[in-house]
Amino acid sequence: MSPSTSTPSNSTSPPRAQTVYFAYGAYFSNNKHFAEMAHRCPDSRYLGIGTLHGYAYDKLNLDDPWDVVPCPPWSVKGFCYLISENDERRLDEAEGVKWAYEKHSLAVEVNTANALISGRTTSEVDGLFHKELEQKRNQNSNSMTVLLPYHDKTVTVPITALVYRRNKELSP
């Protein structure tokens, strides 16, 4: 068989379906966020800090003040991850998609992380910054403070991301 007609023995499999997930709220605001995310979504890869423009926390909702509602000109900060189908199923279960939350595809602006952390698994990011996150926890700071220097603030990428929002009709 000539080289031009041979088939490589290590052909690649079709790419895995993945989704960008925007994490925000109480889950996002604590310093154990990366460890929790790595546990919830073991396949997740960190992309950067996201901004959901035109939304604000629903402080009038005493049952869930961390939910977001449309509210121009405000914006909500969060972390963006690339997640697998399995991770999305785990998130659906954890967030109570059938009884408490709905999934929305919303426009998010991402400040991508630099090469040190962009695309790394969430557990790797947690490992890289564990000591610094622990120190910041003692100073009443958060994960955003630790990671901000590792992002290029001049480069933003508009994407569509998966955002979980409270389903007002289904939730108790």
Short mmCIF file of all heavy atoms in Angstrom, two decimals, residues 41-103:
data_model
loop_
_atom_site.label_atom_id
_atom_site.label_comp_id
_atom_site.label_asym_id
_atom_site.label_seq_id
_atom_site.Cartn_x
_atom_site.Cartn_y
_atom_site.Cartn_z
N CYS A 41 -17.12 18.65 39.32
CA CYS A 41 -16.89 18.52 37.88
C CYS A 41 -15.43 18.14 37.62
O CYS A 41 -14.62 18.99 37.24
CB CYS A 41 -17.21 19.84 37.17
SG CYS A 41 -18.90 20.38 37.41
N PRO A 42 -15.09 16.86 37.81
CA PRO A 42 -13.69 16.45 37.71
C PRO A 42 -13.06 16.64 36.33
O PRO A 42 -11.84 16.72 36.23
CB PRO A 42 -13.71 14.97 38.12
CG PRO A 42 -15.13 14.55 38.05
CD PRO A 42 -15.97 15.76 38.18
N ASP A 43 -13.86 16.73 35.28
CA ASP A 43 -13.31 16.93 33.93
C ASP A 43 -13.12 18.40 33.59
O ASP A 43 -12.58 18.73 32.53
CB ASP A 43 -14.25 16.32 32.87
CG ASP A 43 -14.45 14.84 33.05
OD1 ASP A 43 -13.55 14.17 33.58
OD2 ASP A 43 -15.53 14.34 32.65
N SER A 44 -13.56 19.31 34.46
CA SER A 44 -13.57 20.74 34.13
C SER A 44 -12.17 21.30 33.95
O SER A 44 -11.22 20.89 34.60
CB SER A 44 -14.32 21.52 35.21
OG SER A 44 -13.66 21.42 36.46
N ARG A 45 -12.10 22.28 33.04
CA ARG A 45 -10.85 23.00 32.78
C ARG A 45 -11.11 24.49 32.92
O ARG A 45 -12.10 25.01 32.42
CB ARG A 45 -10.33 22.69 31.38
CG ARG A 45 -9.95 21.22 31.25
CD ARG A 45 -9.10 20.96 30.04
NE ARG A 45 -8.59 19.61 30.08
CZ ARG A 45 -7.46 19.25 30.68
NH1 ARG A 45 -6.73 20.15 31.28
NH2 ARG A 45 -7.05 18.00 30.67
N TYR A 46 -10.21 25.16 33.60
CA TYR A 46 -10.37 26.59 33.88
C TYR A 46 -10.09 27.42 32.64
O TYR A 46 -9.10 27.21 31.95
CB TYR A 46 -9.42 26.99 35.01
CG TYR A 46 -9.55 28.43 35.40
CD1 TYR A 46 -10.68 28.87 36.09
CD2 TYR A 46 -8.58 29.35 35.07
CE1 TYR A 46 -10.82 30.20 36.44
CE2 TYR A 46 -8.71 30.68 35.42
CZ TYR A 46 -9.83 31.10 36.10
OH TYR A 46 -9.97 32.42 36.44
N LEU A 47 -10.97 28.39 32.35
CA LEU A 47 -10.78 29.28 31.20
C LEU A 47 -10.42 30.70 31.60
O LEU A 47 -9.57 31.33 30.98
CB LEU A 47 -12.05 29.33 30.34
CG LEU A 47 -12.47 28.04 29.67
CD1 LEU A 47 -13.76 28.24 28.90
CD2 LEU A 47 -11.37 27.55 28.74
N GLY A 48 -11.11 31.24 32.62
CA GLY A 48 -10.83 32.61 33.02
C GLY A 48 -11.95 33.21 33.83
O GLY A 48 -12.90 32.53 34.23
N ILE A 49 -11.84 34.51 34.07
CA ILE A 49 -12.83 35.26 34.84
C ILE A 49 -13.87 35.80 33.87
O ILE A 49 -13.53 36.42 32.87
CB ILE A 49 -12.17 36.40 35.62
CG1 ILE A 49 -11.22 35.82 36.67
CG2 ILE A 49 -13.22 37.29 36.27
CD1 ILE A 49 -10.37 36.84 37.38
N GLY A 50 -15.14 35.53 34.17
CA GLY A 50 -16.22 35.95 33.29
C GLY A 50 -17.04 37.08 33.86
O GLY A 50 -17.10 37.27 35.08
N THR A 51 -17.66 37.82 32.97
CA THR A 51 -18.58 38.89 33.36
C THR A 51 -19.89 38.68 32.61
O THR A 51 -19.92 38.60 31.38
CB THR A 51 -18.02 40.28 33.00
OG1 THR A 51 -16.73 40.42 33.61
CG2 THR A 51 -18.94 41.39 33.49
N LEU A 52 -20.97 38.58 33.37
CA LEU A 52 -22.32 38.47 32.83
C LEU A 52 -22.93 39.86 32.89
O LEU A 52 -23.35 40.33 33.95
CB LEU A 52 -23.13 37.46 33.65
CG LEU A 52 -24.58 37.23 33.28
CD1 LEU A 52 -24.70 36.66 31.87
CD2 LEU A 52 -25.25 36.29 34.29
N HIS A 53 -22.91 40.56 31.75
CA HIS A 53 -23.41 41.94 31.70
C HIS A 53 -24.93 41.97 31.69
O HIS A 53 -25.58 41.10 31.14
CB HIS A 53 -22.88 42.65 30.45
CG HIS A 53 -21.41 42.87 30.48
ND1 HIS A 53 -20.79 43.81 31.27
CD2 HIS A 53 -20.40 42.25 29.80
CE1 HIS A 53 -19.49 43.76 31.09
NE2 HIS A 53 -19.22 42.82 30.20
N GLY A 54 -25.49 43.03 32.31
CA GLY A 54 -26.93 43.22 32.30
C GLY A 54 -27.68 42.40 33.34
O GLY A 54 -28.90 42.26 33.26
N TYR A 55 -26.95 41.84 34.31
CA TYR A 55 -27.57 41.04 35.38
C TYR A 55 -27.03 41.51 36.73
O TYR A 55 -25.95 42.09 36.81
CB TYR A 55 -27.25 39.55 35.22
CG TYR A 55 -28.09 38.89 34.15
CD1 TYR A 55 -27.75 39.02 32.81
CD2 TYR A 55 -29.21 38.14 34.49
CE1 TYR A 55 -28.52 38.43 31.83
CE2 TYR A 55 -29.98 37.54 33.51
CZ TYR A 55 -29.63 37.69 32.18
OH TYR A 55 -30.40 37.10 31.21
N ALA A 56 -27.80 41.25 37.78
CA ALA A 56 -27.38 41.56 39.15
C ALA A 56 -27.92 40.48 40.07
O ALA A 56 -28.85 39.74 39.71
CB ALA A 56 -27.92 42.93 39.57
N TYR A 57 -27.33 40.38 41.27
CA TYR A 57 -27.84 39.43 42.25
C TYR A 57 -29.22 39.86 42.70
O TYR A 57 -29.50 41.04 42.87
CB TYR A 57 -26.90 39.32 43.45
CG TYR A 57 -25.61 38.63 43.09
CD1 TYR A 57 -24.41 39.32 43.09
CD2 TYR A 57 -25.61 37.29 42.75
CE1 TYR A 57 -23.22 38.68 42.75
CE2 TYR A 57 -24.43 36.64 42.41
CZ TYR A 57 -23.25 37.33 42.41
OH TYR A 57 -22.10 36.70 42.07
N ASP A 58 -30.10 38.89 42.90
CA ASP A 58 -31.49 39.14 43.30
C ASP A 58 -31.57 39.28 44.81
O ASP A 58 -31.99 38.37 45.52
CB ASP A 58 -32.37 37.98 42.80
CG ASP A 58 -33.84 38.26 42.99
OD1 ASP A 58 -34.21 39.34 43.49
OD2 ASP A 58 -34.64 37.38 42.63
N LYS A 59 -31.17 40.42 45.33
CA LYS A 59 -31.13 40.64 46.78
C LYS A 59 -32.53 40.73 47.38
O LYS A 59 -32.69 40.64 48.59
CB LYS A 59 -30.34 41.91 47.11
CG LYS A 59 -28.88 41.81 46.71
CD LYS A 59 -28.19 40.68 47.44
CE LYS A 59 -26.73 40.62 47.07
NZ LYS A 59 -26.03 39.49 47.63
N LEU A 60 -33.56 40.88 46.55
CA LEU A 60 -34.93 40.90 47.06
C LEU A 60 -35.46 39.50 47.33
O LEU A 60 -36.44 39.32 48.04
CB LEU A 60 -35.85 41.62 46.08
CG LEU A 60 -35.52 43.09 45.82
CD1 LEU A 60 -36.45 43.67 44.77
CD2 LEU A 60 -35.58 43.89 47.11
N ASN A 61 -34.81 38.50 46.77
CA ASN A 61 -35.22 37.11 46.95
C ASN A 61 -34.52 36.56 48.19
O ASN A 61 -33.38 36.13 48.13
CB ASN A 61 -34.86 36.29 45.71
CG ASN A 61 -35.28 34.84 45.83
OD1 ASN A 61 -35.73 34.38 46.88
ND2 ASN A 61 -35.13 34.11 44.75
N LEU A 62 -35.19 36.56 49.33
CA LEU A 62 -34.58 36.13 50.58
C LEU A 62 -34.25 34.64 50.58
O LEU A 62 -33.38 34.19 51.31
CB LEU A 62 -35.48 36.49 51.76
CG LEU A 62 -35.74 37.99 51.93
CD1 LEU A 62 -36.67 38.24 53.10
CD2 LEU A 62 -34.45 38.75 52.09
N ASP A 63 -34.97 33.85 49.76
CA ASP A 63 -34.70 32.42 49.69
C ASP A 63 -33.42 32.12 48.93
O ASP A 63 -32.74 31.13 49.20
CB ASP A 63 -35.86 31.68 49.00
CG ASP A 63 -37.13 31.70 49.84
OD1 ASP A 63 -37.01 31.75 51.08
OD2 ASP A 63 -38.21 31.69 49.24
N ASP A 64 -33.08 32.95 47.96
CA ASP A 64 -31.89 32.72 47.14
C ASP A 64 -31.31 34.05 46.66
O ASP A 64 -31.44 34.41 45.49
CB ASP A 64 -32.24 31.83 45.95
CG ASP A 64 -31.00 31.36 45.19
OD1 ASP A 64 -29.87 31.65 45.64
OD2 ASP A 64 -31.17 30.70 44.17
N PRO A 65 -30.65 34.80 47.57
CA PRO A 65 -30.11 36.11 47.17
C PRO A 65 -28.93 36.02 46.21
O PRO A 65 -28.48 37.03 45.71
CB PRO A 65 -29.68 36.73 48.51
CG PRO A 65 -29.43 35.56 49.40
CD PRO A 65 -30.39 34.49 48.96
N TRP A 66 -28.43 34.80 45.94
CA TRP A 66 -27.32 34.63 45.02
C TRP A 66 -27.80 34.37 43.59
O TRP A 66 -26.99 34.22 42.68
CB TRP A 66 -26.40 33.49 45.47
CG TRP A 66 -25.65 33.84 46.71
CD1 TRP A 66 -25.90 33.38 47.97
CD2 TRP A 66 -24.55 34.73 46.83
NE1 TRP A 66 -25.02 33.92 48.85
CE2 TRP A 66 -24.17 34.75 48.19
CE3 TRP A 66 -23.84 35.52 45.94
CZ2 TRP A 66 -23.11 35.52 48.65
CZ3 TRP A 66 -22.80 36.28 46.41
CH2 TRP A 66 -22.44 36.28 47.75
N ASP A 67 -29.09 34.29 43.37
CA ASP A 67 -29.59 34.12 42.01
C ASP A 67 -29.39 35.44 41.27
O ASP A 67 -29.25 36.50 41.89
CB ASP A 67 -31.08 33.75 42.04
CG ASP A 67 -31.60 33.31 40.68
OD1 ASP A 67 -30.79 32.93 39.83
OD2 ASP A 67 -32.82 33.37 40.49
N VAL A 68 -29.38 35.40 39.94
CA VAL A 68 -29.22 36.61 39.16
C VAL A 68 -30.50 36.89 38.36
O VAL A 68 -31.21 35.96 37.98
CB VAL A 68 -28.02 36.54 38.19
CG1 VAL A 68 -26.72 36.52 38.96
CG2 VAL A 68 -28.11 35.38 37.24
N VAL A 69 -30.76 38.17 38.18
CA VAL A 69 -31.93 38.61 37.42
C VAL A 69 -31.47 39.68 36.43
O VAL A 69 -30.49 40.39 36.69
CB VAL A 69 -33.04 39.17 38.34
CG1 VAL A 69 -33.64 38.07 39.20
CG2 VAL A 69 -32.51 40.29 39.22
N PRO A 70 -32.19 39.82 35.30
CA PRO A 70 -31.83 40.89 34.36
C PRO A 70 -31.90 42.25 35.06
O PRO A 70 -32.87 42.54 35.75
CB PRO A 70 -32.90 40.78 33.28
CG PRO A 70 -33.37 39.36 33.35
CD PRO A 70 -33.29 39.00 34.82
N CYS A 71 -30.84 43.04 34.92
CA CYS A 71 -30.78 44.33 35.60
C CYS A 71 -29.70 45.22 34.99
O CYS A 71 -28.64 45.42 35.59
CB CYS A 71 -30.52 44.10 37.09
SG CYS A 71 -30.69 45.60 38.08
N PRO A 72 -29.96 45.71 33.76
CA PRO A 72 -28.98 46.62 33.18
C PRO A 72 -28.87 47.86 34.05
O PRO A 72 -29.87 48.26 34.63
CB PRO A 72 -29.56 46.96 31.81
CG PRO A 72 -30.69 46.02 31.60
CD PRO A 72 -31.10 45.49 32.93
N PRO A 73 -27.77 48.47 34.23
CA PRO A 73 -26.48 48.27 33.59
C PRO A 73 -25.51 47.46 34.46
O PRO A 73 -24.31 47.50 34.23
CB PRO A 73 -25.97 49.70 33.43
CG PRO A 73 -26.44 50.37 34.69
CD PRO A 73 -27.80 49.74 34.98
N TRP A 74 -25.99 46.73 35.43
CA TRP A 74 -25.14 45.97 36.35
C TRP A 74 -24.49 44.78 35.65
O TRP A 74 -24.87 44.41 34.55
CB TRP A 74 -25.96 45.49 37.55
CG TRP A 74 -26.49 46.64 38.35
CD1 TRP A 74 -27.73 47.19 38.24
CD2 TRP A 74 -25.80 47.40 39.31
NE1 TRP A 74 -27.86 48.25 39.10
CE2 TRP A 74 -26.68 48.40 39.77
CE3 TRP A 74 -24.51 47.35 39.83
CZ2 TRP A 74 -26.30 49.33 40.73
CZ3 TRP A 74 -24.15 48.27 40.80
CH2 TRP A 74 -25.04 49.25 41.24
N SER A 75 -23.56 44.16 36.36
CA SER A 75 -22.92 42.93 35.86
C SER A 75 -22.52 42.05 37.04
O SER A 75 -22.38 42.53 38.16
CB SER A 75 -21.72 43.24 34.97
OG SER A 75 -20.74 43.94 35.69
N VAL A 76 -22.35 40.77 36.75
CA VAL A 76 -21.98 39.78 37.76
C VAL A 76 -20.68 39.12 37.32
O VAL A 76 -20.53 38.74 36.16
CB VAL A 76 -23.10 38.71 37.91
CG1 VAL A 76 -22.68 37.59 38.82
CG2 VAL A 76 -24.39 39.36 38.38
N LYS A 77 -19.73 38.98 38.25
CA LYS A 77 -18.45 38.32 37.97
C LYS A 77 -18.55 36.84 38.36
O LYS A 77 -19.29 36.47 39.26
CB LYS A 77 -17.32 38.95 38.79
CG LYS A 77 -16.98 40.36 38.37
CD LYS A 77 -16.20 40.36 37.10
CE LYS A 77 -15.67 41.77 36.81
NZ LYS A 77 -15.13 41.88 35.49
N GLY A 78 -17.77 36.03 37.68
CA GLY A 78 -17.71 34.61 37.99
C GLY A 78 -16.51 33.97 37.30
O GLY A 78 -15.73 34.66 36.64
N PHE A 79 -16.37 32.66 37.47
CA PHE A 79 -15.31 31.92 36.81
C PHE A 79 -15.90 31.11 35.67
O PHE A 79 -17.01 30.59 35.79
CB PHE A 79 -14.60 30.97 37.78
CG PHE A 79 -13.77 31.67 38.82
CD1 PHE A 79 -13.87 31.30 40.15
CD2 PHE A 79 -12.88 32.67 38.48
CE1 PHE A 79 -13.10 31.93 41.11
CE2 PHE A 79 -12.11 33.31 39.43
CZ PHE A 79 -12.22 32.93 40.76
N CYS A 80 -15.17 30.99 34.57
CA CYS A 80 -15.63 30.20 33.42
C CYS A 80 -14.79 28.93 33.29
O CYS A 80 -13.57 28.97 33.44
CB CYS A 80 -15.52 31.02 32.14
SG CYS A 80 -16.73 32.35 32.06
N TYR A 81 -15.49 27.85 33.00
CA TYR A 81 -14.87 26.53 32.87
C TYR A 81 -15.36 25.87 31.60
O TYR A 81 -16.50 26.07 31.19
CB TYR A 81 -15.26 25.62 34.03
CG TYR A 81 -14.83 26.14 35.37
CD1 TYR A 81 -15.68 26.92 36.13
CD2 TYR A 81 -13.57 25.85 35.87
CE1 TYR A 81 -15.29 27.40 37.35
CE2 TYR A 81 -13.17 26.33 37.09
CZ TYR A 81 -14.03 27.11 37.83
OH TYR A 81 -13.63 27.59 39.04
N LEU A 82 -14.54 25.03 31.05
CA LEU A 82 -14.95 24.13 29.98
C LEU A 82 -15.32 22.83 30.68
O LEU A 82 -14.51 22.27 31.42
CB LEU A 82 -13.79 23.92 29.01
CG LEU A 82 -14.12 23.27 27.68
CD1 LEU A 82 -15.13 24.11 26.90
CD2 LEU A 82 -12.85 23.10 26.86
N ILE A 83 -16.57 22.38 30.49
CA ILE A 83 -17.03 21.17 31.18
C ILE A 83 -17.49 20.11 30.17
O ILE A 83 -17.93 20.44 29.08
CB ILE A 83 -18.16 21.46 32.19
CG1 ILE A 83 -19.40 22.04 31.50
CG2 ILE A 83 -17.67 22.37 33.31
CD1 ILE A 83 -20.62 22.16 32.39
N SER A 84 -17.38 18.87 30.57
CA SER A 84 -17.80 17.74 29.73
C SER A 84 -19.29 17.49 29.91
O SER A 84 -19.94 18.06 30.80
CB SER A 84 -17.02 16.49 30.13
OG SER A 84 -17.41 16.07 31.43
N GLU A 85 -19.82 16.60 29.09
CA GLU A 85 -21.22 16.20 29.24
C GLU A 85 -21.47 15.58 30.62
O GLU A 85 -22.50 15.82 31.24
CB GLU A 85 -21.61 15.20 28.15
CG GLU A 85 -21.72 15.81 26.77
CD GLU A 85 -22.12 14.78 25.73
OE1 GLU A 85 -23.25 14.26 25.82
OE2 GLU A 85 -21.30 14.50 24.84
N ASN A 86 -20.51 14.77 31.10
CA ASN A 86 -20.65 14.16 32.42
C ASN A 86 -20.68 15.22 33.52
O ASN A 86 -21.46 15.13 34.46
CB ASN A 86 -19.52 13.16 32.69
CG ASN A 86 -19.68 11.90 31.87
OD1 ASN A 86 -20.79 11.52 31.50
ND2 ASN A 86 -18.57 11.24 31.58
N ASP A 87 -19.81 16.23 33.40
CA ASP A 87 -19.81 17.32 34.37
C ASP A 87 -21.15 18.05 34.36
O ASP A 87 -21.69 18.40 35.40
CB ASP A 87 -18.70 18.33 34.06
CG ASP A 87 -17.31 17.84 34.44
OD1 ASP A 87 -17.20 16.88 35.24
OD2 ASP A 87 -16.34 18.43 33.94
N GLU A 88 -21.68 18.29 33.16
CA GLU A 88 -22.96 18.99 33.06
C GLU A 88 -24.07 18.19 33.72
O GLU A 88 -24.92 18.76 34.42
CB GLU A 88 -23.29 19.28 31.60
CG GLU A 88 -24.50 20.18 31.44
CD GLU A 88 -24.75 20.62 30.01
OE1 GLU A 88 -23.84 20.55 29.16
OE2 GLU A 88 -25.89 21.05 29.75
N ARG A 89 -24.06 16.89 33.56
CA ARG A 89 -25.06 16.05 34.24
C ARG A 89 -24.93 16.15 35.76
O ARG A 89 -25.92 16.25 36.47
CB ARG A 89 -24.93 14.59 33.79
CG ARG A 89 -25.59 14.30 32.45
CD ARG A 89 -25.69 12.81 32.18
NE ARG A 89 -24.42 12.20 31.84
CZ ARG A 89 -23.88 12.20 30.61
NH1 ARG A 89 -24.54 12.76 29.61
NH2 ARG A 89 -22.73 11.63 30.37
N ARG A 90 -23.70 16.16 36.24
CA ARG A 90 -23.48 16.30 37.69
C ARG A 90 -23.98 17.66 38.19
O ARG A 90 -24.58 17.76 39.25
CB ARG A 90 -21.99 16.15 38.02
CG ARG A 90 -21.47 14.75 37.89
CD ARG A 90 -19.98 14.70 38.32
NE ARG A 90 -19.35 13.52 37.82
CZ ARG A 90 -18.59 13.44 36.73
NH1 ARG A 90 -18.35 14.51 36.00
NH2 ARG A 90 -18.06 12.30 36.35
N LEU A 91 -23.70 18.72 37.42
CA LEU A 91 -24.18 20.05 37.80
C LEU A 91 -25.71 20.12 37.79
O LEU A 91 -26.32 20.71 38.69
CB LEU A 91 -23.63 21.12 36.85
CG LEU A 91 -22.22 21.60 37.13
CD1 LEU A 91 -21.76 22.54 36.02
CD2 LEU A 91 -22.13 22.30 38.47
N ASP A 92 -26.33 19.51 36.78
CA ASP A 92 -27.79 19.48 36.71
C ASP A 92 -28.37 18.89 37.98
O ASP A 92 -29.33 19.41 38.56
CB ASP A 92 -28.28 18.66 35.50
CG ASP A 92 -28.05 19.35 34.17
OD1 ASP A 92 -27.63 20.53 34.16
OD2 ASP A 92 -28.28 18.69 33.14
N GLU A 93 -27.78 17.79 38.42
CA GLU A 93 -28.26 17.12 39.64
C GLU A 93 -28.00 17.99 40.87
O GLU A 93 -28.88 18.18 41.70
CB GLU A 93 -27.57 15.77 39.79
CG GLU A 93 -28.13 14.94 40.92
CD GLU A 93 -27.50 13.57 40.96
OE1 GLU A 93 -27.43 12.89 39.91
OE2 GLU A 93 -27.09 13.16 42.06
N ALA A 94 -26.79 18.53 40.98
CA ALA A 94 -26.43 19.34 42.14
C ALA A 94 -27.26 20.62 42.22
O ALA A 94 -27.62 21.07 43.31
CB ALA A 94 -24.94 19.69 42.09
N GLU A 95 -27.57 21.22 41.09
CA GLU A 95 -28.32 22.47 41.07
C GLU A 95 -29.83 22.26 41.08
O GLU A 95 -30.59 23.22 41.19
CB GLU A 95 -27.94 23.31 39.83
CG GLU A 95 -26.49 23.74 39.81
CD GLU A 95 -26.16 24.79 40.87
OE1 GLU A 95 -27.09 25.37 41.47
OE2 GLU A 95 -24.97 25.01 41.11
N GLY A 96 -30.28 21.02 40.98
CA GLY A 96 -31.71 20.74 41.01
C GLY A 96 -32.43 21.26 39.79
O GLY A 96 -33.44 21.95 39.89
N VAL A 97 -31.91 20.93 38.60
CA VAL A 97 -32.47 21.46 37.36
C VAL A 97 -33.95 21.14 37.19
O VAL A 97 -34.71 21.96 36.72
CB VAL A 97 -31.65 20.99 36.14
CG1 VAL A 97 -32.38 21.22 34.84
CG2 VAL A 97 -30.33 21.72 36.10
N LYS A 98 -34.40 19.99 37.59
CA LYS A 98 -35.80 19.64 37.36
C LYS A 98 -36.75 20.25 38.38
O LYS A 98 -37.95 20.28 38.17
CB LYS A 98 -35.95 18.12 37.35
CG LYS A 98 -35.27 17.50 36.16
CD LYS A 98 -35.51 16.04 36.06
CE LYS A 98 -34.81 15.53 34.82
NZ LYS A 98 -34.96 14.14 34.57
N TRP A 99 -36.23 20.72 39.51
CA TRP A 99 -37.13 21.24 40.53
C TRP A 99 -36.78 22.62 41.07
O TRP A 99 -37.60 23.26 41.70
CB TRP A 99 -37.25 20.26 41.70
CG TRP A 99 -35.93 19.91 42.32
CD1 TRP A 99 -35.10 18.90 41.94
CD2 TRP A 99 -35.28 20.58 43.38
NE1 TRP A 99 -33.97 18.91 42.72
CE2 TRP A 99 -34.06 19.92 43.62
CE3 TRP A 99 -35.61 21.67 44.17
CZ2 TRP A 99 -33.18 20.31 44.61
CZ3 TRP A 99 -34.72 22.06 45.16
CH2 TRP A 99 -33.53 21.38 45.37
N ALA A 100 -35.57 23.14 40.83
CA ALA A 100 -35.22 24.43 41.41
C ALA A 100 -34.59 25.42 40.42
O ALA A 100 -34.88 26.60 40.48
CB ALA A 100 -34.26 24.23 42.59
N TYR A 101 -33.74 24.92 39.55
CA TYR A 101 -33.01 25.81 38.65
C TYR A 101 -33.27 25.46 37.19
O TYR A 101 -33.63 24.33 36.88
CB TYR A 101 -31.50 25.74 38.91
CG TYR A 101 -31.07 26.58 40.09
CD1 TYR A 101 -31.26 26.15 41.39
CD2 TYR A 101 -30.50 27.83 39.89
CE1 TYR A 101 -30.88 26.93 42.46
CE2 TYR A 101 -30.12 28.61 40.96
CZ TYR A 101 -30.31 28.16 42.24
OH TYR A 101 -29.94 28.94 43.29
N GLU A 102 -33.07 26.45 36.34
CA GLU A 102 -33.15 26.26 34.89
C GLU A 102 -31.78 26.59 34.30
O GLU A 102 -31.05 27.41 34.84
CB GLU A 102 -34.16 27.23 34.27
CG GLU A 102 -35.57 27.00 34.68
CD GLU A 102 -36.49 28.05 34.07
OE1 GLU A 102 -36.12 29.25 34.03
OE2 GLU A 102 -37.58 27.66 33.64
N LYS A 103 -31.48 25.95 33.18
CA LYS A 103 -30.24 26.24 32.46
C LYS A 103 -30.53 27.26 31.37
O LYS A 103 -31.52 27.14 30.66
CB LYS A 103 -29.66 24.97 31.85
CG LYS A 103 -29.32 23.93 32.87
CD LYS A 103 -28.55 22.75 32.36
CE LYS A 103 -29.08 22.03 31.19
NZ LYS A 103 -28.35 20.79 30.89
#
